[in-house]
Amino acid sequence: MNLESLPIASLPEMGEIWQKTLNWQPTIWQENQFQQLYQLIVAGNRQFNLTRITEPEDFWEKHLWDSLRGIAPKQLFIPGIEQGKRIIDIGTGAGFPGIPISLIFPSSQVTLLDSTGKKIAFIETILSTLGLNNAKTLLGRAEEVGQQYQHRQYYDVAVIRAVSNVSVCAEYSLPLVRKGGLAVIYRGTWTQAENESLEAAVEQLGGVIELIEEFSTPLSNSIRHCLYLRKVTNTPISFPRGVGIPNQKPI
Ligand code: SAM
């Protein structure tokens, strides 16, 4: 079967789901961009093995819907998200959640950071094929980029999905966020015990946990959590620690 030829928005209820869950509907241009993105990812996957999620409905739910649910445009108003002009996606992989975010916020500047050169090279071909001028790639490690003056405390919003455990994600993301900005950590399951360890880490990094949202995905009914960390004070210069240390010794 040729997956690329399958329309990802084939189910009539998908339009309703966007409306019901995000109080938002993609424009025809955005629908076309989503479809092209799907085709590019499926084609690229043959070469680079970028993602396991390639079936059309799976792609729609886990890559498009999930990416956008984290920054839910209207339904979930968090000051700082809607006005987010500078957004960084840390460990973007094949471009998620960053590319869908750049498609729905054309006036934002989205930086797609990953430490793997072949992923960054692949994303560059996607950006040029889709004509996405408001997104750019950055090859590097979050531990190093978070110490570079041109990136440190520069972003309004940092998003991070499926990169590491939660306190590592906090250490990668909060140093990059300006005071008053938000780090959004996408998670599957979440427990009270994780909550306590996160609280201690976030405090050391200059943030507070503003909101933890639990929701289920609309097609497969899988549980998801999004953690919203507000940056309230400057992150001490000792964070992020050197390459590999956050993972070896999480805060
Ligand atoms: N965020 C994407 C998603 O949800 O589909 C990709 C997740 S993939 C499992 C994790 C990605 O994080 C990989 O592409 C890896 O190269 C990148 N990564 C891991 N540690 C990193 C670090 N310290 N700095 C930058 N990128 C990192």
Side-chain angles (χ1 to χ4, degrees):
M1 183 172 49
N2 184 3
L3 280 176
E4 286 141 273
S5 60
L6 294 177
I8 49 165
S10 57
L11 299 177
E13 59 269 31
M14 281 173 180
E16 284 167 38
I17 297 172
W18 285 126
Q19 191 61 51
K20 226 164 78 189
T21 55
L22 304 193
N23 193 19
W24 170 85
Q25 290 257 11
T27 61
I28 290 171
W29 178 82
Q30 285 162 334
E31 288 280 16
N32 287 337
Q33 295 282 70
F34 289 162
Q35 179 69 36
Q36 266 203 67
L37 175 62
Y38 174 61
Q39 288 165 343
L40 291 165
I41 296 277
V42 171
N45 217 32
R46 290 200 195 98
Q47 235 182 317
F48 300 116
N49 195 22
L50 299 157
T51 174
R52 285 173 294 110
I53 302 166
T54 53
E55 291 296 322
E57 285 182 19
D58 242 20
F59 181 88
W60 183 86
E61 181 181 66
K62 302 201 172 69
H63 277 333
L64 296 181
W65 186 87
D66 190 65
S67 291
L68 298 182
R69 178 61 182 79
I71 44 94
K74 298 224 167 57
Q75 176 216 37
L76 168 75
F77 178 73
I78 298 184
I81 284 196
E82 292 200 81
Q83 308 95 311
K85 288 283 180 256
R86 297 164 174 171
I87 300 173
I88 184 162
D89 178 12
I90 301 162
T92 188
F96 301 98
I99 293 180
I101 290 174
S102 71
L103 279 167
I104 70 153
F105 288 147
S107 62
S108 292
Q109 281 300 321
V110 181
T111 300
L112 304 163
L113 167 67
D114 205 280
S115 54
T116 307
K118 72 167 189 176
K119 292 189 179 171
I120 289 295
F122 174 71
I123 292 177
E124 273 169 10
T125 64
I126 293 191
L127 299 184
S128 68
T129 310
L130 294 182
L132 272 181
N133 300 325
N134 65 325
K136 62 177 183 213
T137 58
L138 180 62
L139 175 61
R141 299 263 329 186
E143 300 93 314
E144 290 173 333
V145 172
Q147 291 291 359
Q148 292 165 0
Y149 79 95
Q150 69 272 38
H151 296 290
R152 188 175 175 86
Q153 311 211 122
Y154 174 77
Y155 296 93
D156 299 299
V157 179
V159 292
I160 182 163
R161 187 179 86 160
V163 173
S164 190
N165 79 42
V166 73
S167 59
V168 176
C169 289
E171 185 167 351
Y172 286 171
S173 55
L174 277 169
L176 289 164
V177 171
R178 68 161 169 85
K179 238 195 305 181
L182 274 178
V184 183
I185 303 180
Y186 291 60
R187 297 275 305 182
T189 56
W190 183 248
T191 61
Q192 189 55 36
E194 287 177 291
N195 212 25
E196 278 154 28
S197 71
L198 178 66
E199 250 171 37
V202 166
E203 198 183 319
Q204 284 192 59
L205 293 161
V208 292
I209 304 174
E210 182 154 307
L211 178 70
I212 297 180
E213 258 223 322
E214 179 180 316
F215 51 90
S216 37
T217 61
L219 301 182
S220 61
N221 231 2
S222 317
I223 292 293
R224 291 279 189 281
H225 290 81
C226 265
L227 320 177
Y228 298 88
L229 313 180
R230 177 76 60 192
K231 175 95 163 242
V232 288
T233 181
N234 289 339
T235 301
I237 195 66
S238 49
F239 297 113
R241 292 166 293 163
V243 169
I245 296 173
N247 255 319
Q248 286 154 18
K249 294 185 189 160
I251 301 173

